[in-house]
Every structure is written in C-alpha cells, then in structure tokens.
Amino acid sequence: EHKASAKHMSPMLQGEAMGSMMDNFRASVSYLKAMSPEFAAALASSLHATLYAPKEMVEPTRDICTVRRGIGMRGGKVLAIGAVWGEDMILDNELLRNYARVRCLCYFEAMHLPIRDLRAALDLHPVERSAVRWAVSRLAVMRGMLLLSAASKFLRIRGGVRISDLSDEQILDLIAEVLKRGIDRSPTLRGEFAKPPSDTGVSSAGAPSKPATAEEMQDIKSSLGRLLSEVQELKSSRKPTTMFGAPLLSPRS
C-alpha cells in the first residue's frame, strides 16, 4: 500500500512517506546512513516482501534484507523486527560474502532489496555511489584478511610453512589463489606445500578449527600492505583495478 500511494508523489515526498521502510537499512548499513530522501525513495520502491513459515530456511541471495515481522536465527544470532542482514552483497567476490541461512522461528516476513536495484539507483546518485565504492573497498579488505588468516594457518599446519618464509612473488600468488578459488581449491595450499592429512586441527572442509594467532595476523597484515601498495600504484597509473577480485560497482568514477 505504501508503493501505490507513493507513485503519485514527488521524489522528495516519496522519500518522506517511505522513510519508515528505509529506517532499518539506514540504521544498520554503514554505507546507507547518509542517503538522501531521493535515493531512499528509489530504494524503497524496489523493496519486496517475502513471507516464510515457521522452521523454514531463508536461503542466501544477493539482497539486503530486514525483518518486518517475526523472529529468526542466523549464525547463532537472533534476528528480531528491524534486524538487517546481507549488507555484504555489494561484494562481487562470493568468497568474501556471508552465506549463512536464516531459520524462521515463527511466521517470518522479510523485506528484500536486490543488488540490481541498488546498482540502478546508484547510477543516478553519484554521492551515494561514492560512499558505496568506499564501503566495497573497506569491507573487501576486512573480509579478505579473515580469509587470508585462515589460509595462513592452513599453510602452517598442513605444510609447516609460514607466510613470512615465502617470497613476495609467492605471497602475491597465494593471495590471488585464495581470493579467487578459496582455500579448498587453491593449488598451492593443496599441492606444493601440502603434507599428507594427519591430526592437523583442520576440518575436512579445510576450515581452521582455531583462529590465527596475533603473530600470524601480523604476517597477513604485512603481506596485505604490500599488495595494497601495488594496487595504489596501479590506480595512480590509471589502469583498471579490482579489490580482492571484486570490481567496484560502477565503471564511472
């Protein structure tokens, strides 16, 4: 009913009328906090609701979602009315996104904002597009470090090799492999440095059973710093760049 009445309003009035529908996104998603009323109206018009039955699983999609009614569980966290998930859908690299499903504890209604509609709105709003571009880079670095820390421990446990023992070229190759293929499909982790499986503390899926140590995280940070320096050099030379295999949302600057 909100959408039907908003069709006859100006963009500014649409933003005000539909503001309540966007408040949850504005409060929980960092790159949407400062969105203009016009941009909020464009997003609100793209929202669609889905109703789920008790015990049903909400499968992961490239949508930002908020709970309109009901209660759910995702990754051990309770999702009550107003909770938001899926804000990492702006990352094109699927290895960096969280694919945890939502379990509905009762009748559950969620509002979905698809990535295609967000991108369409960003094409017409350069200020918000700039904020999302920055969020892509920042979130990719954060998620990339978590993935690389897991790869670092896998490398140490399965191959007895520390990242600090590798050459810069080997480090960059390893980073590229892990961020493009994941730990399970990295030829380097599964081949060159791998030892026969034993009591390694690593699950059959390749996920470490314990987090990396502070020293290992420092190795990752140092290696990542060198990688980002190369990225900055590429950007200054005006060559097209990506962050962790995830191109920025718009080719326009």
Side-chain angles (χ1 to χ4, degrees), residues 209-225:
S209 58
K210 297 180 181 178
T213 65
E215 190 175 0
E216 289 170 321
M217 282 297 295
Q218 187 58 46
D219 287 344
I220 290 290
K221 290 179 181 179
S222 299
S223 303
L224 195 55

Side-chain angles (χ1 to χ4, degrees), residues 201-253:
V202 178
S203 70
S204 59
S209 58
K210 297 180 181 178
T213 65
E215 190 175 0
E216 289 170 321
M217 282 297 295
Q218 187 58 46
D219 287 344
I220 290 290
K221 290 179 181 179
S222 299
S223 303
L224 195 55
R226 290 194 292 270
L227 176 62
L228 294 181
S229 296
E230 291 198 3
V231 170
Q232 291 299 325
E233 291 178 6
L234 288 172
K235 291 175 68 176
S236 63
S237 64
R238 298 186 179 181
K239 295 179 181 178
T241 62
T242 59
M243 291 297 295
F244 297 108
L248 300 182
L249 288 178
S250 172
R252 294 190 291 268
S253 56

Side-chain angles (χ1 to χ4, degrees), residues 2-251:
H2 293 283
K3 293 183 180 180
S5 60
K7 289 181 179 179
H8 304 288
M9 301 179 183
S10 67
M12 184 67 71
L13 288 178
Q14 286 183 36
E16 294 178 1
M18 296 185 173
S20 60
M21 299 178 66
M22 298 303 301
D23 284 345
N24 296 338
F25 294 111
R26 184 181 286 109
S28 302
V29 182
S30 61
Y31 50 85
L32 298 180
K33 289 184 182 296
M35 60 181 167
S36 65
E38 295 86 354
F39 186 68
L43 296 186
S45 64
S46 301
L47 293 175
H48 66 271
T50 306
L51 184 63
Y52 301 90
K55 299 184 180 180
E56 188 173 356
M57 304 299 293
V58 181
E59 298 297 330
T61 58
R62 287 198 70 180
D63 301 344
I64 305 180
C65 306
T66 183
V67 182
R68 190 175 186 184
R69 296 185 181 91
I71 299 177
M73 290 285 295
R74 183 176 190 255
K77 295 183 180 180
V78 177
L79 299 178
I81 294 175
V84 173
W85 76 95
E87 59 271 21
D88 59 357
M89 60 98 159
I90 58 176
L91 298 175
D92 281 342
N93 189 332
E94 62 181 16
L95 294 174
L96 302 182
R97 296 198 296 267
N98 184 347
Y99 281 94
R101 299 187 298 173
V102 176
R103 181 180 179 84
C104 304
L105 303 182
C106 56
Y107 284 103
F108 186 86
E109 184 179 9
M111 301 297 293
H112 297 256
L113 173 63
I115 178 66
R116 63 179 182 275
D117 295 322
L118 174 62
R119 284 175 165 165
L122 289 172
D123 284 341
L124 302 176
H125 297 83
V127 174
E128 285 79 6
R129 184 170 69 243
S130 177
V132 173
R133 285 170 62 91
W134 168 244
V136 168
S137 299
R138 182 176 56 184
L139 185 58
V141 169
M142 293 171 61
R143 295 289 178 85
M145 287 183 63
L146 292 175
L147 183 60
L148 291 171
S149 69
S152 173
K153 184 170 184 180
F154 184 92
L155 184 65
R156 179 175 60 83
I157 293 175
R158 291 294 299 272
V161 179
R162 296 178 57 84
I163 280 191
S164 56
D165 297 330
L166 306 180
S167 67
D168 288 350
E169 184 177 357
Q170 287 176 313
I171 291 173
L172 292 177
D173 288 343
L174 179 61
I175 289 174
E177 281 184 10
V178 171
L179 293 173
K180 289 181 179 179
R181 304 183 181 185
I183 294 175
D184 285 344
R185 292 180 291 172
S186 167
T188 299
L189 292 179
R190 293 293 177 179
E192 181 179 351
F193 296 114
K195 290 181 177 179
S198 59
D199 185 13
T200 60
V202 178
S203 70
S204 59
S209 58
K210 297 180 181 178
T213 65
E215 190 175 0
E216 289 170 321
M217 282 297 295
Q218 187 58 46
D219 287 344
I220 290 290
K221 290 179 181 179
S222 299
S223 303
L224 195 55
R226 290 194 292 270
L227 176 62
L228 294 181
S229 296
E230 291 198 3
V231 170
Q232 291 299 325
E233 291 178 6
L234 288 172
K235 291 175 68 176
S236 63
S237 64
R238 298 186 179 181
K239 295 179 181 178
T241 62
T242 59
M243 291 297 295
F244 297 108
L248 300 182
L249 288 178
S250 172

